[in-house]
Amino acid sequence: MRAAIFRGAFAIQVEQIPDAALLEPTDAVVQITHACICGTDLWPYRGQGPYQPGWQIGHEWMGIVQDIGSEVRTIKRGDRVIASYDFCDGTCEFCLQGLDSACVQGGLWGFGHEGGQAEAIRACFADATLVVVPPEVEGDEALLKAILPLTDVMAAGHHAAVSANVRAGGRVAVIGDGAVGLCATLAARRLGAEQIIVLGHQPQRLALARQFGATDIITSNGDEAVQQALEMTQGGAQAVLECVGAKETIQMAVTLSRPGGTVGFVGAPHGQEVPLGHMFSSNIGLRGGLAPARAYLPELLAEVLAGRLDPSSVLDRTVSLAEVAAGYAAMDQRQAIKVMVRP
Amino acid sequence: MRAAIFRGAFAIQVEQIPDAALLEPTDAVVQITHACICGTDLWPYRGQGPYQPGWQIGHEWMGIVQDIGSEVRTIKRGDRVIASYDFCDGTCEFCLQGLDSACVQGGLWGFGHEGGQAEAIRACFADATLVVVPPEVEGDEALLKAILPLTDVMAAGHHAAVSANVRAGGRVAVIGDGAVGLCATLAARRLGAEQIIVLGHQPQRLALARQFGATDIITSNGDEAVQQALEMTQGGAQAVLECVGAKETIQMAVTLSRPGGTVGFVGAPHGQEVPLGHMFSSNIGLRGGLAPARAYLPELLAEVLAGRLDPSSVLDRTVSLAEVAAGYAAMDQRQAIKVMVRP
């Protein structure tokens, strides 16, 4: 079968690899119909982090079950399934409390495991990892495209909002206008926020933020942006959704929080610095991290199927598997927010 | 009247100042019967921070109401009242949500305002700031001594436990064996923690930690302490109560948290560094700060009066107001955990 392979910085190649096959009795083999390129995939693409040449890449995917191991109980051949970016055993302490991202046997697709930018994939812990999508969606490409972001970016945006305790009627600030920031905006609206200020710089993305529920937009930087946000919120946002992870944006997130507020951070953090003194004097909390996307999937899938949630617009370009390298280049050059791959 | 005045590093003097008197119709004048020296008072005592010579000092006190302003409604002459370390208006957004430490008109006793290590005090916003203690306590010095720490250190310990989501049956680590760490231990036990590990270095304080509910003690430092805590908890504590505020202890608090856990931090933080990457990968939250002590007072007072909470042992020395300088020296030299002052 064909799969995207990381060969070094700026070198994603589609190569022939052995067909996906069952290894464990708890595995399923899934034919991938839809996958995505993630902002996280751009790190190895840009030569950052310890991604090794030869590894498969891609952790966002869904498809049709081709085969199941002898111990798989909840999934059957022909089912459409979606996976979260992380696989998990479903039985450990952390899975049982809904924190699959900390699963003791878990991991991320790619990163030395099977990757999602491929024609098919061996899905380990199939009962725990895969969620069945009802057959009514078949043929409804708009609906399938709305479901696909639940694998990662929509879960991350939701996690930011949940971690920051977004409440109905509250004032929310979203830092970042990438796919996660846009999904966080959608999540904040869904949870009933009254004011949603999005801080970003890309006009097209900010226009989408408006569609997703942003009530105010801030395009300035640093202290000026913080001052604007403090004025707009009359003293700070109760919930700040940090969707970038830069040292400056984490600082900004704390600084524009209202006393007693919470920063939900889902941008992988660079650096270690946080304005701890301000957190202390104003009782501002900081919580977040890798989203427990598998735990969120059933709730968010039901919302999409009910027509109450539609993050599909973050997928603004589609490529075939053969064209995947062009998809990486488009995201790297910010010509696309997020690219869908159709193997 | 006589009051403790800060005159510079290591110079706390009892001086004659004008009698406490009503200034605003919302004031009360309280004759102070019991006060404390706080670990925080040691900062100016040691020449740290911006405390100005001539300022009164002391923010932990209770006493008997001598006079009330014309607009005071809930307090009357002769009432025994206790104040939290912070005064507050009781009407602002933050007071109404139980975060009096962020009151828009609030502040701390001392720090340029009236101080509690004195014969009497003008208490502003009397209706909001003061809590009436029922008259049955009069003459019961043991009970009064159990109530007094609610002004600050017991509230701080409780805030650490609440901020860290201490739950019945949970595994808790308390960093610090000072008065706040000891009160945090008591708070964790009261909230039903099953395992309470206290990290500290002073044998006498650690013995008191055992009395207060510690199930395990760790006296080693740094990585060794973290390793011991991780082993004892089989992978980390769900709630870590950081009661020191040093850069190393904040690092330690995050590192010995269990995935999905929370650090409740109430030690005023030094430095800005936090292991953000570990917080991110393991979804560890950080929340805390200045305790909303006024909001906690009614609940904690009821517990003390019912005999279910007794932090009095943290007050291991008593001095008269005239002897207050000796009290500071005893705390500075760690000859006392916490000193009670009887004006």
Side-chain angles (χ1 to χ4, degrees):
Chain A
M1 68 177 199
R2 291 174 308 132
I5 306 290
F6 173 77
R7 285 292 167 198
F10 303 102
I12 304 291
Q13 295 181 9
V14 177
E15 301 183 10
Q16 199 72 30
I17 64 168
D19 283 354
L22 300 175
L23 278 180
E24 304 288 338
T26 48
D27 289 345
V29 171
V30 180
Q31 181 186 10
I32 294 173
T33 60
H34 302 71
C36 306
I37 302 172
C38 182
T40 316
D41 295 333
L42 293 183
W43 299 354
Y45 184 75
R46 291 169 176 163
Q48 295 157 1
Y51 221 85
Q52 292 183 23
W55 279 1
Q56 276 192 258
I57 193 163
H59 51 264
E60 303 173 319
W61 54 270
M62 66 176 171
I64 305 292
V65 176
Q66 285 186 312
D67 201 2
I68 57 169
S70 60
E71 292 177 16
V72 174
R73 294 286 171 267
T74 60
I75 308 288
K76 61 182 192 303
R77 285 186 192 84
D79 278 347
R80 173 168 291 278
V81 288
I82 184 167
S84 53
Y85 71 89
D86 57 333
F87 57 84
C88 56
D89 64 16
T91 55
C92 77
E93 166 192 349
F94 302 109
C95 282
L96 293 178
Q97 67 187 228
L99 189 63
D100 44 270
S101 55
C103 173
V104 296
Q105 298 187 89
L108 310 182
W109 307 111
F111 296 90
H113 302 284
E114 288 82 355
Q117 293 159 14
E119 290 183 304
I121 190 167
R122 177 185 75 98
C124 55
F125 304 118
D127 282 326
T129 293
L130 303 176
V131 173
V132 176
V133 181
E136 304 88 84
V137 303
E138 294 311 322
D140 187 341
E141 279 302 321
L143 187 53
L144 288 166
K145 194 176 166 190
I147 292 170
L148 188 59
L150 305 187
T151 56
D152 189 348
V153 287
M154 185 64 226
H158 179 65
H159 190 48
V162 169
S163 298
N165 298 318
V166 170
R167 297 277 160 77
R171 298 176 189 273
V172 175
V174 178
I175 299 183
D177 58 8
V180 174
L182 293 168
C183 288
T185 304
L186 212 46
R189 182 174 68 178
R190 178 179 161 247
L191 294 171
E194 190 172 301
Q195 183 179 32
I196 305 174
I197 301 170
V198 176
L199 292 88
H201 297 291
Q202 309 279 326
Q204 282 182 315
R205 296 172 184 209
L206 292 170
L208 188 51
R210 287 267 186 202
Q211 287 179 38
F212 278 4
T215 55
D216 303 275
I217 299 287
I218 292 177
T219 57
S220 54
N221 288 306
D223 290 348
E224 191 186 340
V226 168
Q227 279 313 313
Q228 280 183 276
L230 290 174
E231 279 164 30
M232 281 180 181
T233 53
Q234 300 177 316
Q238 281 116 0
V240 180
L241 317 190
E242 205 290 322
C243 303
V244 177
K247 185 182 147 187
E248 296 72 23
T249 52
I250 292 170
Q251 170 96 31
M252 187 183 282
V254 171
T255 312
L256 59 76
S257 292
R258 204 174 199 83
T262 309
V263 175
F265 77 118
V266 295
H270 291 76
Q272 304 259 320
E273 275 181 58
V274 182
L276 276 181
H278 186 62
M279 285 180 68
F280 181 84
S281 60
S282 294
N283 270 268
I284 293 162
L286 178 64
R287 174 175 284 288
L290 285 172
R294 173 59 184 83
Y296 291 143
L297 251 174
E299 174 189 352
L300 297 179
L301 178 59
E303 288 287 282
V304 173
L305 294 174
R308 288 190 295 265
L309 181 67
D310 181 1
S312 61
S313 305
V314 299
L315 293 162
D316 58 348
R317 185 167 304 195
T318 301
V319 298
S320 68
L321 182 58
E323 300 163 329
V324 72
Y328 276 81
M331 281 180 64
D332 176 51
Q333 293 154 29
R334 295 186 178 239
Q335 291 162 359
I337 302 174
K338 191 169 180 69
V339 171
M340 179 158 74
V341 182
R342 297 295 305 271
Chain B
M1 70 176 198
R2 291 174 309 133
I5 305 291
F6 173 77
R7 286 292 165 196
F10 304 102
I12 304 292
Q13 295 180 9
V14 177
E15 301 182 11
Q16 200 71 31
I17 65 168
D19 282 354
L22 301 174
L23 278 180
E24 303 288 337
T26 48
D27 289 346
V29 171
V30 179
Q31 182 187 9
I32 294 174
T33 60
H34 302 73
C36 306
I37 303 172
C38 182
T40 315
D41 296 332
L42 294 182
W43 298 355
Y45 184 74
R46 291 171 176 163
Q48 297 157 359
Y51 222 85
Q52 293 184 22
W55 279 2
Q56 275 191 259
I57 194 163
H59 51 264
E60 303 174 319
W61 54 271
M62 66 176 171
I64 305 292
V65 176
Q66 286 186 312
D67 202 0
I68 57 169
S70 59
E71 292 178 15
V72 174
R73 294 287 169 268
T74 60
I75 308 287
K76 61 183 192 302
R77 285 186 192 83
D79 278 347
R80 173 168 291 279
V81 289
I82 184 167
S84 53
Y85 71 90
D86 57 331
F87 57 84
C88 56
D89 65 16
T91 55
C92 77
E93 165 192 351
F94 303 109
C95 281
L96 293 178
Q97 67 187 229
L99 190 63
D100 44 272
S101 55
C103 173
V104 297
Q105 298 188 88
L108 310 183
W109 308 111
F111 297 90
H113 303 284
E114 289 82 355
Q117 292 158 15
E119 289 184 303
I121 190 167
R122 178 184 75 97
C124 56
F125 304 118
D127 282 326
T129 293
L130 302 176
V131 173
V132 176
V133 181
E136 304 88 84
V137 304
E138 294 311 321
D140 187 340
E141 280 302 320
L143 188 52
L144 288 165
K145 194 176 165 191
I147 292 169
L148 188 59
L150 306 186
T151 57
D152 190 348
V153 286
M154 186 63 228
H158 179 64
H159 191 49
V162 169
S163 299
N165 298 318
V166 170
R167 297 276 160 78
R171 298 176 188 272
V172 176
V174 178
I175 300 184
D177 58 8
V180 174
L182 293 168
C183 288
T185 305
L186 212 47
R189 183 175 66 179
R190 179 179 161 247
L191 294 171
E194 189 172 299
Q195 185 179 31
I196 304 175
I197 301 169
V198 176
L199 293 88
H201 297 292
Q202 309 280 326
Q204 282 182 314
R205 296 172 184 209
L206 293 170
L208 188 51
R210 286 268 186 200
Q211 286 179 40
F212 278 6
T215 55
D216 303 275
I217 299 287
I218 292 177
T219 56
S220 54
N221 288 305
D223 290 347
E224 191 186 340
V226 168
Q227 279 313 312
Q228 280 184 276
L230 290 173
E231 279 165 30
M232 281 178 181
T233 53
Q234 300 176 316
Q238 279 116 2
V240 180
L241 317 190
E242 205 290 322
C243 304
V244 178
K247 185 181 147 189
E248 296 72 23
T249 53
I250 292 170
Q251 169 96 31
M252 188 183 282
V254 171
T255 312
L256 58 77
S257 291
R258 203 174 199 83
T262 309
V263 175
F265 77 119
V266 296
H270 290 76
Q272 305 258 320
E273 275 181 59
V274 181
L276 276 180
H278 187 62
M279 285 180 66
F280 181 84
S281 61
S282 293
N283 271 267
I284 292 162
L286 178 64
R287 176 176 281 288
L290 285 171
R294 173 61 185 81
Y296 291 143
L297 252 174
E299 174 189 353
L300 297 179
L301 178 59
E303 288 287 282
V304 174
L305 294 174
R308 288 191 293 266
L309 181 65
D310 181 1
S312 60
S313 305
V314 300
L315 294 162
D316 58 348
R317 185 169 301 195
T318 302
V319 297
S320 68
L321 182 56
E323 300 162 329
V324 71
Y328 276 82
M331 281 179 64
D332 177 51
Q333 292 154 30
R334 295 186 178 238
Q335 291 162 359
I337 302 174
K338 192 169 179 68
V339 172
M340 179 158 73
V341 182
R342 297 296 304 272

